[in-house]
Amino acid sequence: STMHHDPASMPQGNGFGSDSTLYVVVRWAMFVALLLMIGAVAFRQLVLRTVRLKQSSEEPVLEHASQRAARIGHVAAGGLLVVLVLRLLAQSVAMHGTADMFDAGLVSAMLSKTTWGQGWLFQLLGIVVAGYGFHRAKNAAPRSASARRGWTLATLAAIGLAFTPGLAGHAAAAPKLQALTLLADGLHVLGVGGWLGSLALLLMAGLPAALALPESDRAPTVADLLNAFSPTALACAALVATTGVFAAWMHVGSVPALWQTGYGRTLILKLAVLSIVAGTGAYNWLRIKPALGTDGATMRIRRSASMEVAVALVVLLITAVLVALPTSMDMTM
């Protein structure tokens, strides 16, 4: 039978467990790689497609940005593959101890008979498909049929990968509405990737492509990219907020549990740091976006968006801690 291993019940021998610093770093690296992969897809399929439909920027700029996005997605897929191996080792140590971490029978059972293992195998499949898709997209002409097929594969794989963290976390152990909780968890990851991941790709792929243009074309192209990014960010941020409230209701259970339990206090910390990200985004929307079209506004949005992404990395680090803590509902069962 398939079972879920609650992170809080895992062995903590030899000073290593699901909440240890090394395991937290491994999970954080997984979240960062997923953010970039989903962001690459969202940036190309939503932001660049919107710009192209409006025909407001030169095609070579969009092609350059699309290929840069494919390269970033490909590197992120390779990084996630490395993290996947590290997760397997970390989980084996946490569950079996260092003496039996390489025991083939125990590792095989962990992969085949736990939801964590099923999620790990599904993530491996998604990485292979996404990596192949990004590889095709980055090596083919941006508007060719081969590139389109590559992006299609990468998109489908990124959507599937968004649901794998839930299989290794609290969503899979939800005492009620488990299917809905897993769905909400996956949508939450997609929302974060579509919002903050596409922002990272805007900084890493879109703006460099725009800034390579002649001086007279730079600022208008940056404005086109930001105007296309804004609706994507707003829709994805709304999805993050909606699914986040649902997850809090499922895992916290009561308002007092927010400050009476370690899970609740860590969740408050995450929300506090996330509010900085949201506030920075609101500042970009209200103060900088209306002034786009000048070189000064371009530099301001670049600095502000960079800070937003940096704070988002801190949010992911807190999340990597949060998913290993027993929920408030777990402690009352």
Side-chain angles (χ1 to χ4, degrees), residues 69-158:
R71 288 196 293 269
I72 293 169
H74 192 251
V75 171
L80 187 57
L81 182 61
V82 173
V83 171
L84 192 71
V85 175
L86 295 177
R87 284 183 61 222
L88 181 63
L89 295 175
Q91 187 77 355
S92 186
V93 172
M95 290 183 61
H96 311 130
T98 54
D100 296 319
M101 62 179 291
F102 295 114
D103 186 291
L106 293 175
V107 173
S108 176
M110 181 178 70
L111 290 176
S112 62
K113 296 184 178 181
T114 69
T115 52
W116 186 95
Q118 293 175 352
W120 190 93
L121 292 171
F122 187 53
Q123 194 169 90
L124 175 61
L125 175 62
I127 291 171
V128 171
V129 175
Y132 177 69
F134 284 128
H135 176 76
R136 289 191 63 161
K138 75 183 181 71
N139 289 325
R143 299 299 299 275
S144 67
S146 179
R148 289 196 297 270
R149 284 193 290 269
W151 277 113
T152 298
L153 288 174
T155 300
L156 294 175

Side-chain angles (χ1 to χ4, degrees), residues 4-222:
H4 174 75
H5 280 97
D6 186 340
S9 67
M10 290 181 181
Q12 304 294 316
N14 300 314
F16 186 88
S18 61
D19 59 347
S20 68
T21 301
L22 286 176
Y23 209 160
V24 168
V25 171
V26 170
R27 284 195 298 269
W28 176 76
M30 178 188 72
F31 292 147
V32 172
L34 278 174
L35 184 84
L36 290 175
M37 292 175 69
I38 297 171
V41 167
F43 178 71
R44 194 269 181 182
Q45 303 287 49
L46 300 177
V47 178
L48 292 184
R49 182 167 292 181
T50 299
V51 176
R52 181 174 286 117
L53 289 175
K54 292 182 178 180
Q55 296 181 341
S56 53
S57 288
E58 297 181 18
E59 187 65 29
V61 176
L62 304 183
E63 293 179 354
H64 185 198
S66 178
Q67 286 193 311
R68 286 180 69 96
R71 288 196 293 269
I72 293 169
H74 192 251
V75 171
L80 187 57
L81 182 61
V82 173
V83 171
L84 192 71
V85 175
L86 295 177
R87 284 183 61 222
L88 181 63
L89 295 175
Q91 187 77 355
S92 186
V93 172
M95 290 183 61
H96 311 130
T98 54
D100 296 319
M101 62 179 291
F102 295 114
D103 186 291
L106 293 175
V107 173
S108 176
M110 181 178 70
L111 290 176
S112 62
K113 296 184 178 181
T114 69
T115 52
W116 186 95
Q118 293 175 352
W120 190 93
L121 292 171
F122 187 53
Q123 194 169 90
L124 175 61
L125 175 62
I127 291 171
V128 171
V129 175
Y132 177 69
F134 284 128
H135 176 76
R136 289 191 63 161
K138 75 183 181 71
N139 289 325
R143 299 299 299 275
S144 67
S146 179
R148 289 196 297 270
R149 284 193 290 269
W151 277 113
T152 298
L153 288 174
T155 300
L156 294 175
I159 293 173
L161 284 168
F163 291 87
T164 57
L167 294 173
H170 297 304
K176 59 181 180 180
L177 303 178
Q178 187 182 84
L180 184 58
T181 305
L182 284 168
L183 175 63
D185 190 270
L187 292 176
H188 189 77
V189 175
L190 283 174
V192 173
W195 170 22
L196 298 173
S198 62
L199 177 61
L201 266 291
L202 179 68
L203 287 170
M204 300 167 68
L207 292 186
L211 294 175
L213 291 171
E215 185 174 352
S216 60
D217 296 328
R218 293 174 190 169
T221 302
V222 171

